[in-house]
RNA sequence: GCCAAUGUAGCUCAGCUGGUAGAGCAGCUCAUUCGUAAUGAGCAGGUCGGCGGUUCGAGUCCGCCCAUUGGCUCCA
């Protein structure tokens, strides 16, 4: 056996090293800078400590703070540092899990009776900085399961003991830094010294292992950086994100509001917000008419009978507003609809259907009501009454792929019209190890999952697949977008359903003159108008594209003597279909401009002596400033060009 | 629902260890007639989230409730 090994770098080059060389030594052999920046090393796909010897030929990749892998290592180590601080400050504290997350880290801890406040967070931050200054190494140690159990039994930490329970002997490792030792798979950065700048962001309750029936631990979220500037920049970025918060912008731009008298999670749309909603809905309705959808309209309530058949009642009673009972004894009454699909099945079932009719696509902007848990409500992204841009496609199994393709095309059109480029598409599949919990034939599922996969691929959609995420009634494809604070929200969704056609005994007559079961596809490109608009507001920071701006043009007379001409201009703009308003207040033009700028109106037209004489307007674009004077007709052409460019050829 | 924090005028926020509320912006009135991000003066505006308690006295202390925010769980 040679004592030389061959390491292959990401660029394909290979070099020979002594067997047992460490990641640090490899990094150091490349450059001193890399050795300084390096936090961990990928060895044949496994991320490891830099200090671990490499024993065989491998493909390696050195991770630094510039890689997601490197950041994850760094923040995971930071979680350990926080744990060390917590143990020092609150002896007897027990630890759950403490992973790195996308931005920072958290640790779930059991502090007994103690609760933490802002002052405590500062004390912990201080302690962490102090511990980091000692700059002690993270030391890995392989331990036997018995020793590990003995260690945590001694510490009386039932959480770690439970975690150990699921681990196999021989695969267990501890990491220590200073006096603190934790059960951990690793890897870690070489030492604590780089975690100088610490900010603990918030405290939250988190159920042990995400299970509501188990004890709630205290979750501490934090972030660390090696340089002060990086921490400052991050905190500033968080501040800037708050400026884009749709709740703040919704108030400032007068789009929507909430009233305690109306109720939590029940948004009230102000005139400008309602206009925005209508514009979005009109846009999609037009697209849907072009894509073979037929609008239908259904009421907001239905008999309990409908939901007993659909299976929503009483099994989902927790998430529904209580029914309006007519006859309590016989469980008869009405339910506010939590979804539109049961109603739509009844439209399908209005008369016998032929295979020649399929696919049938019923579309409705249907408002539904769900009794979301109080702690879950938030702005427009999670509400109790919302309008889905819903449609249900009834088709033959052989048509599923084509229909999915059409829906994907429509959804992509919607997303691109609003310049959402940074979205995630996820295909949710069955859990292959537990197929009994799903309704429908195995073979049908296989076909459907394959159809969705192919539809996504053929539409050029880069979708990730998640096993076990499918609903019990069918696989689905979801579109996710992040809000200003980086939280991911599901917007568009396409879901296959084997369940409802079965429950409502829906059929069509096939070319064999036999009855067949159609497949149902639920789909909503926006998802809900409320959530979509919430995320849209944050996406554009309240600067809506011209075609969506509630007010497109604000006309600003320089003085009272130009009011009449300004009103004439405003009328002319309205006549050609632009949403124009005129600011007739007795204020200086600077004041009116400021006010229109803050309302984020795309175009301001300043009108005074010069403009009146030349039948012109002086154009100011939001965020850009003065564009000079043009004739009214030239401005109208510019405005429409702006609209067309954003909306495409709708 | 659970954990934590927060709740003072339409908005943003002051209000020290308890002594019955204050600013800026917005609003209204008047003056100013104004050229690309705030003209000036005056006026008005608050059951200090709600209910109860402690106290001679509560925005301030305590309890319960409501709402909001950040998480946990679920979902569009």
């Amino acid at each position: 056996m040679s004592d030389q090994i061959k390491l292959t770098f990401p660029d394909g080059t290979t070099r020979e090293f002594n067997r047992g060389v460490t990641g640090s030594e490899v990094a150091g052999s490349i450059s001193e800078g890399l050795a300084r920046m390096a936090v961990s090393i990928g060895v044949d796909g496994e991320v490891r400590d830099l200090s671990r010897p490499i024993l065989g030929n491998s493909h390696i990749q050195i991770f630094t703070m510039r890689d997601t892998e490197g950041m994850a290592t760094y923040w995971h180590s930071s979680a350990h540092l926080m744990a060390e601080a917590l143990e020092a400050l609150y002896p007897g504290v027990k630890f759950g899990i403490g992973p790195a997350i996308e931005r920072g880290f958290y640790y779930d801890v059991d502090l007994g009776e103690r609760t933490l406040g802002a002052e405590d967070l500062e004390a912990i931050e201080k302690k962490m900085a102090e511990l980091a200054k000692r700059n002690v190494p993270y030391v890995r140690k392989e331990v036997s399961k018995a020793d590990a159990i003995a260690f945590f039994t001694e510490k009386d930490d039932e959480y770690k003991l439970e975690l150990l329970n699921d681990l196999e002997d021989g695969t267990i490792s501890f990491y220590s830094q200073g006096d603190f030792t934790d059960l951990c798979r690793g890897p870690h950065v070489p030492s604590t010294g780089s975690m100088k700048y610490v900010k603990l962001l918030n405290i939250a309750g988190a159920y042990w292992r995400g299970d509501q029936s188990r004890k709630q631990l205290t979750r501490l979220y934090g972030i660390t950086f090696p340089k002060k500037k990086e921490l400052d920049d991050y905190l500033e970025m968080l501040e800037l994100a708050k400026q884009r918060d749709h709740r703040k912008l919704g108030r400032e731009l007068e789009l929507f509001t909430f009233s305690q008298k109306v109720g939590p999670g029940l948004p009230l749309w102000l005139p400008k917000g309602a206009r925005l909603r209508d514009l979005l809905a009109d846009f999609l309705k037009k697209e849907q008419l072009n894509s073979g959808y037929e609008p239908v309209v259904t009421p907001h309530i239905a008999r309990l009978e409908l939901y007993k058949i659909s299976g929503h009642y009483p099994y989902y009673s927790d998430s529904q507003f209580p029914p309006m009972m007519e006859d309590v004894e016989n469980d008869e009454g009405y339910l506010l609809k939590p979804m539109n699909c049961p109603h739509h099945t009844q439209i399908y079932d209005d008369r016998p259907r032929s295979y020649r009719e399929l696919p049938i696509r019923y579309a409705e902007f249907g408002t539904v009501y769900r009794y979301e848990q109080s702690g879950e409500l938030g702005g427009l992204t999670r509400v109790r009454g919302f309008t889905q841009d819903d449609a249900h496609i009834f088709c033959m199994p052989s048509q599923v792929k084509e229909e999915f393709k059409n829906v994907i095309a429509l959804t992509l059109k919607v997303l691109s019209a609003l310049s959402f480029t940074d979205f995630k598409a996820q295909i949710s599949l069955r859990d292959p190890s537990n197929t009994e919990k799903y309704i429908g034939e195995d073979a049908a599922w296989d076909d459907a999952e394959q159809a969705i996969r192919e539809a996504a691929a053929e539409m050029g959609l880069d979708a990730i697949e998640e096993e076990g995420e499918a609903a019990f009634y069918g696989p689905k494809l979801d579109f996710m977008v992040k809000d200003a604070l980086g939280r991911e929200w599901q917007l568009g969704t396409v879901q296959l359903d084997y369940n409802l056609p079965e429950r409502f005994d829906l059929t069509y007559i096939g070319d064999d003159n036999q009855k067949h079961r159609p497949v149902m596809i639920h789909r909503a490109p926006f998802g809900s108008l409320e959530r979509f608009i919430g995320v849209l507001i944050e996406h554009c920071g309240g600067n809506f594209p011209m075609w969506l701006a509630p007010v497109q043009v604000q006309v600003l007379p320089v003085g009272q003597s130009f009011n009449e001409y300004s009103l004439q201009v405003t009328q002319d703009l309205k006549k050609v279909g632009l949403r124009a308003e005129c600011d007739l207040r007795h204020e200086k033009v600077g004041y009116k401009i400021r006010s229109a700028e803050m309302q984020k109106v795309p175009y301001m037209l300043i009108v005074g002596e010069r403009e009146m004489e030349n039948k012109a307007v002086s154009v100011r674009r939001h965020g850009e400033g003065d564009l000079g004077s043009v004739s009214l007709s030239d401005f109208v052409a510019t405005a429409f060009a702006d609209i067309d460019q954003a909306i495409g050829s709708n």
Side-chain angles (χ1 to χ4, degrees):
Chain A
M1 184 154 118
S2 153
D3 47 2
Q4 290 286 299
I5 55 169
K6 204 189 281 174
L7 297 185
T8 310
F9 292 88
D11 64 1
T13 58
T14 59
R15 272 176 60 191
E16 297 223 327
F17 288 89
N18 291 327
R19 187 176 301 280
V21 68
T22 67
S24 304
E25 288 159 1
V26 176
S29 77
I30 296 167
S31 81
E32 209 176 295
L34 184 63
R36 223 177 14 246
M37 292 279 294
V39 294
S40 52
I41 182 166
V43 181
D44 291 333
E46 184 198 355
V47 187
R48 289 196 199 166
D49 297 311
L50 286 170
S51 57
R52 281 176 75 178
I54 301 165
L55 299 174
N57 295 344
S58 354
H59 284 78
I60 62 148
Q61 184 177 6
I62 292 175
F63 295 118
T64 71
M65 290 285 294
R66 296 213 179 90
D67 312 300
T68 31
E69 291 88 345
M71 288 308 272
T73 304
Y74 178 79
W75 282 326
H76 182 200
S77 299
S78 303
H80 279 235
L81 187 68
M82 181 168 76
E84 184 181 2
L86 287 168
E87 197 166 63
L89 291 169
Y90 316 108
V93 57
K94 298 171 189 178
F95 296 95
I97 55 164
I101 52 177
E102 199 172 331
R103 291 191 290 195
F105 58 88
Y106 68 78
Y107 218 123
D108 286 345
V109 298
D110 182 350
L111 293 155
E113 295 302 302
R114 177 186 280 276
T115 60
L116 298 181
E119 329 75 55
D120 299 302
L121 290 189
E122 270 173 48
I124 301 164
E125 283 171 9
K126 243 193 208 147
K127 191 75 189 174
M128 286 174 72
E130 183 191 314
L131 292 170
K133 254 191 209 124
R134 294 187 195 166
N135 194 18
V136 296
Y138 284 86
V139 181
R140 180 189 171 89
K141 186 176 154 201
E142 316 255 338
V143 291
S144 70
K145 188 160 177 171
D147 286 352
I149 290 172
F151 180 84
F152 285 107
T153 304
E154 172 69 32
K155 281 184 89 176
D156 194 26
D157 189 330
E158 66 260 36
Y159 308 104
K160 292 294 180 190
L161 286 170
E162 187 176 327
L163 293 174
L164 275 170
N165 224 358
D166 298 340
L167 298 177
E168 270 176 49
D169 204 357
T171 65
I172 298 168
S173 57
F174 277 6
Y175 276 82
S176 305
Q177 87 268 16
D179 300 328
F180 179 77
T181 298
D182 200 355
L183 171 70
C184 183
R185 185 187 316 131
H188 281 285
V189 298
S191 72
T192 58
S194 59
M195 289 166 283
K196 277 191 227 103
Y197 299 97
V198 181
K199 182 73 188 171
L200 299 191
L201 298 158
N202 43 46
I203 315 174
Y207 297 103
W208 171 234
R209 303 203 127 178
D211 184 343
Q212 208 159 336
S213 67
R214 308 200 61 182
K215 187 165 172 160
Q216 194 163 46
L217 306 179
T218 303
R219 177 170 295 180
L220 288 151
Y221 285 90
I223 197 157
T224 48
F225 290 100
K227 296 201 179 99
K228 181 159 194 308
K229 182 162 186 318
E230 289 169 314
L231 178 60
D232 290 345
D233 286 351
Y234 179 75
L235 295 176
E236 195 191 325
M237 193 272 291
L238 280 185
E239 280 309 307
L240 286 175
K242 281 188 196 153
Q243 300 300 312
R244 292 208 320 257
D245 190 312
H246 74 276
R247 291 166 295 204
K248 180 177 154 68
L249 287 167
R251 197 184 308 116
E252 289 172 358
L253 304 181
E254 299 190 300
L255 300 173
F256 59 88
T257 189
F258 290 89
S259 155
Q260 287 202 20
K261 293 189 184 71
V262 172
L266 300 170
L268 302 172
W269 291 88
L270 302 173
K272 284 177 185 167
R275 207 178 270 181
L276 185 59
R277 258 177 84 102
D278 280 352
L279 288 159
L280 281 168
D282 290 347
F283 164 69
L284 186 59
K285 282 178 183 171
K286 205 163 151 192
E287 291 292 345
Q288 289 183 163
L289 279 178
N290 291 338
S291 309
Y293 288 85
E294 299 175 282
V296 294
V297 177
T298 63
H300 285 222
I301 62 173
R303 280 224 162 101
L304 288 178
E305 177 70 11
L306 184 75
Y307 299 105
K308 285 178 187 167
I309 297 172
S310 74
H312 294 109
Y313 184 86
Y315 302 105
Y316 289 91
S317 294
D318 291 1
S319 55
Q320 289 159 189
F321 281 90
M324 297 158 255
M325 297 308 278
E326 276 182 318
D327 179 350
V328 176
E329 297 248 311
N330 294 306
D331 202 27
E332 279 172 19
Y334 291 85
L335 192 66
L336 212 40
K337 67 176 170 186
M339 35 193 50
N340 303 301
C341 31
H343 282 86
H344 288 185
T345 64
Q346 297 310 291
I347 295 179
Y348 177 89
D349 211 24
D350 178 53
R351 62 169 171 77
R353 301 291 172 181
S354 153
Y355 74 97
R356 295 176 191 278
E357 288 180 82
L358 303 183
I360 289 174
R361 310 181 187 92
Y362 294 139
E364 175 178 23
F365 276 72
T367 304
V368 298
Y369 298 88
R370 298 184 190 171
Y371 195 80
E372 298 292 348
Q373 298 186 84
S374 56
E376 267 305 321
L377 300 173
L380 289 180
T381 41
R382 181 57 127 274
V383 292
R384 284 182 173 162
F386 57 95
T387 302
Q388 295 177 312
D389 54 331
D390 214 354
H392 294 97
I393 300 169
F394 300 86
C395 64
M396 296 183 269
S398 60
Q399 295 170 319
V400 164
K401 180 175 157 188
E402 195 57 30
E403 287 308 303
F404 258 79
K405 283 175 71 174
N406 293 339
V407 173
I408 292 169
L410 184 61
T411 306
L412 292 177
K413 185 154 194 179
V414 165
L415 291 173
S416 83
L418 295 155
S419 58
F420 279 112
T421 47
D422 189 22
F423 58 84
K424 186 171 114 188
Q426 178 182 315
I427 299 174
S428 297
L429 306 169
R430 264 177 317 179
D431 178 355
S433 64
N434 189 10
T435 53
E436 314 83 68
K437 71 174 184 180
Y438 302 95
I439 189 165
E441 310 274 318
D442 274 3
W445 271 82
D446 289 340
D447 289 350
E449 292 182 349
Q450 193 51 28
I452 296 174
R453 227 178 247 134
E454 286 174 15
E458 286 172 32
M459 295 307 293
L461 189 65
D462 192 12
I464 59 162
E465 295 188 9
E466 291 286 344
E467 284 184 346
E469 287 295 306
F472 75 91
Y473 52 79
K476 59 175 181 171
L477 168 64
D478 293 321
F479 292 83
M480 273 96 103
V481 174
K482 283 183 185 170
D483 70 10
L485 292 171
R487 291 171 296 201
E488 201 163 72
W489 295 101
Q490 181 188 315
L491 297 179
T493 182
V494 202
Q495 311 190 2
L496 205 60
D497 189 344
Y498 296 112
N499 184 41
L500 284 186
E502 192 74 36
R503 282 178 166 271
F504 283 101
D505 193 23
L506 303 181
T507 57
Y508 64 87
I509 308 296
D511 59 1
D512 56 0
N513 201 27
Q514 298 295 307
K515 277 189 178 179
H516 296 273
R517 186 77 72 211
V519 176
M520 212 170 150
I521 298 171
H522 310 251
R523 46 104 281 178
F526 292 140
S528 93
L529 273 176
E530 284 73 11
R531 179 179 290 177
F532 190 87
I533 291 175
V535 176
L536 174 65
I537 291 169
E538 305 196 352
H539 179 68
C540 65
N543 296 302
F544 297 109
M546 182 66 173
W547 69 279
L548 276 180
V551 178
Q552 296 170 309
V553 188
Q554 184 76 254
V555 183
L556 310 174
V558 168
Q560 298 282 290
S561 43
F562 315 110
N563 279 0
E564 206 180 316
Y565 175 64
S566 297
L567 279 168
Q568 186 55 54
V569 167
T570 310
Q571 278 310 315
D572 290 348
L573 293 171
K574 282 184 175 171
K575 251 182 236 162
V576 299
L578 289 167
R579 294 184 290 279
E581 286 181 5
C582 189
D583 187 345
L584 298 174
R585 291 178 296 180
H586 297 201
E587 296 290 350
K588 288 164 70 171
V589 72
Y591 181 89
K592 295 181 184 182
I593 286 169
R594 179 178 151 83
S595 156
E597 287 281 0
M598 290 197 307
Q599 284 294 303
K600 304 178 190 289
V601 177
Y603 287 99
M604 287 148 276
L605 299 184
I606 288 95
V607 169
E609 185 77 44
R610 297 197 291 271
E611 289 74 18
M612 197 160 77
E613 274 173 17
N614 303 320
K615 293 278 169 224
V617 291
S618 181
V619 181
R620 183 187 168 98
R621 178 83 228 232
H622 170 67
E624 287 174 31
D626 193 357
L627 301 181
S629 185
V630 296
S631 73
L632 188 58
S633 57
D634 280 359
F635 169 70
V636 169
T638 309
F640 278 105
D642 199 343
I643 291 170
D644 290 343
Q645 182 209 338
I647 198 171
S649 49
N650 180 20

